[in-house]
Amino acid sequence: MDWQNLRSDWNRLRGFLATAEQGSLSAAARALQMSQPTLGRQVAALEAELGLTLFERHGTGLHLTEAGMQLAEHARAMGEAAERLARVASGQQQQIAGQVTITASEIYAAWLLPQLLPKIRAAAPGLTIEILASNAIRDLKRREADIALRNARPGQPDLIARRIADDRGSFYATSGYLATLPPIEALPDLAAAEFIAFEDPGPYGSFLRELGVPVTEANFPLVSSSHLVHWQMARAGLGIGVGPLGLGDPDPQLVRALPSLEIPYPVWLVAHRELHTSRRIRLVYDLLAELIPPLLRTS
């Protein structure tokens, strides 16, 4: 191996690869959890180091040049090798100590997981538990998290997924807000309401229409990328929000918009196949599988 030529900074290559895969600096910066200016400097430094132009700007996105496409292929192979190395090393850590990162939606991270952490801490006091609250699907293969709580089965074949429970949700609003609407007796009646949308109202609108609520774009005057902000907007009487029954039903400021409506959805517990043999991750995985279903059944 030519050690003299192995000089490229992996952080720069990682930033370049993330930008190539995400299509923009802003999206790549979010994926890497760093600032966009920092990522931009890394990519510019890599271009200067190599003496190559790796990206061309088109509209709001970035497209790879021919040189960039060639480099991306090799950088991707390096990234996959680094992931395998990290997974092998992690699997060797057989002490019930160290860090386990759990990713879940903002609502589950703020409402559900804190109820479980005392028992996990009691079972393994040597562990450090990190909760990654995100509504985005985190990549377990790239070690963005060790364990994920998801509401859809992952499609990657090298992930272990177990359907541990079914949760139920409904639409919630304040009594004061509902009093401003015509009587709501069935799903089509909700078309008179204003819904608090998520970052992209399109999929949420499609979901509502499939459910039987004939909404249009005019039904979404408020939008938030955060489910916690979404929930607080509903509690402030700004429109109709959606959330799990275990969170919404006990809330003194909210009532169901349609009392009989309960929307079921699955809860999947996911881990990487190679990490599933790690004692610390297996312990947390098994505890989550044991502790979550009773909480959801009583909600």
Side-chain angles (χ1 to χ4, degrees):
M1 182 173 290
D2 188 352
W3 298 105
Q4 293 298 316
N5 285 326
L6 293 178
R7 297 176 181 175
S8 293
D9 186 333
W10 167 242
N11 286 327
R12 295 176 182 175
L13 286 169
R14 186 176 70 125
F16 158 72
L17 182 59
T19 304
E21 292 185 344
Q22 297 292 326
S24 71
L25 285 171
S26 59
R30 287 194 298 270
L32 294 172
Q33 296 184 307
M34 67 169 58
S35 70
Q36 184 174 334
T38 298
L39 178 59
R41 287 192 294 270
Q42 288 185 354
V43 173
L46 180 62
E47 288 183 319
E49 175 188 342
L50 299 176
L52 298 171
T53 299
L54 301 176
F55 292 102
E56 293 178 344
R57 182 172 294 278
H58 290 270
T60 59
L62 296 174
H63 290 181
L64 287 168
T65 62
E66 183 175 351
M69 286 188 286
Q70 294 179 8
L71 182 64
E73 181 179 350
H74 296 293
R76 191 170 291 110
M78 290 177 64
E80 291 171 354
E83 291 166 11
R84 290 193 296 271
L85 177 63
R87 290 197 295 269
V88 169
S90 181
Q92 299 303 313
Q93 299 173 5
Q94 295 302 309
Q95 299 298 320
I96 307 298
Q99 179 169 306
V100 175
T101 301
I102 306 168
T103 181
S105 68
E106 289 183 327
I107 287 293
Y108 274 2
W111 161 66
L112 182 64
L113 290 180
Q115 302 179 63
L116 313 175
L117 290 180
K119 292 185 178 180
I120 295 176
R121 294 284 296 118
L127 285 178
T128 299
I129 305 295
E130 178 186 11
I131 304 300
L132 186 58
S134 173
N135 296 325
I137 300 298
R138 294 292 177 172
D139 194 340
L140 299 187
K141 291 174 63 178
R142 294 187 182 277
R143 295 301 310 280
E144 292 179 342
D146 299 309
I147 299 171
L149 272 176
R150 295 181 179 174
N151 296 125
R153 183 171 189 168
Q156 299 97 321
D158 51 352
L159 296 181
I160 291 179
R162 178 180 171 187
R163 185 170 180 168
I164 59 171
D166 288 295
D167 202 357
R168 294 164 293 151
S170 195
F171 298 125
Y172 292 92
T174 61
S175 298
Y177 175 75
L178 293 177
T180 68
L181 303 175
I184 298 174
E185 298 177 352
L187 282 166
D189 298 332
L190 289 169
E194 292 183 337
F195 286 82
I196 302 163
F198 297 97
E199 186 170 12
D200 180 3
Y204 190 36
S206 298
F207 164 74
L208 290 172
R209 287 188 289 272
E210 291 175 3
L211 194 64
V213 185
V215 294
T216 67
E217 290 184 5
N219 289 96
F220 304 108
L222 292 172
V223 179
S224 175
S225 61
S226 167
H227 202 158
L228 295 179
V229 174
H230 166 106
W231 193 252
Q232 291 303 318
M233 286 180 175
R235 299 182 83 242
L238 297 175
I240 291 182
V242 63
L245 304 188
L247 176 66
D249 283 354
D251 194 316
Q253 291 184 234
L254 296 171
V255 296
R256 295 193 198 185
L258 188 59
S260 62
L261 179 65
E262 295 186 359
I263 307 166
Y265 52 91
V267 179
W268 290 86
L269 194 61
V270 187
H272 195 280
R273 185 174 300 277
E274 294 179 43
L275 288 178
H276 204 35
T277 59
S278 168
R279 289 181 62 198
R280 72 182 193 284
I281 297 173
R282 179 59 185 265
L283 173 67
V284 175
Y285 186 97
D286 288 344
L287 284 171
L288 291 172
E290 174 189 345
L291 297 172
I292 289 175
L295 287 175
L296 299 183
R297 281 197 295 268
T298 57
S299 64

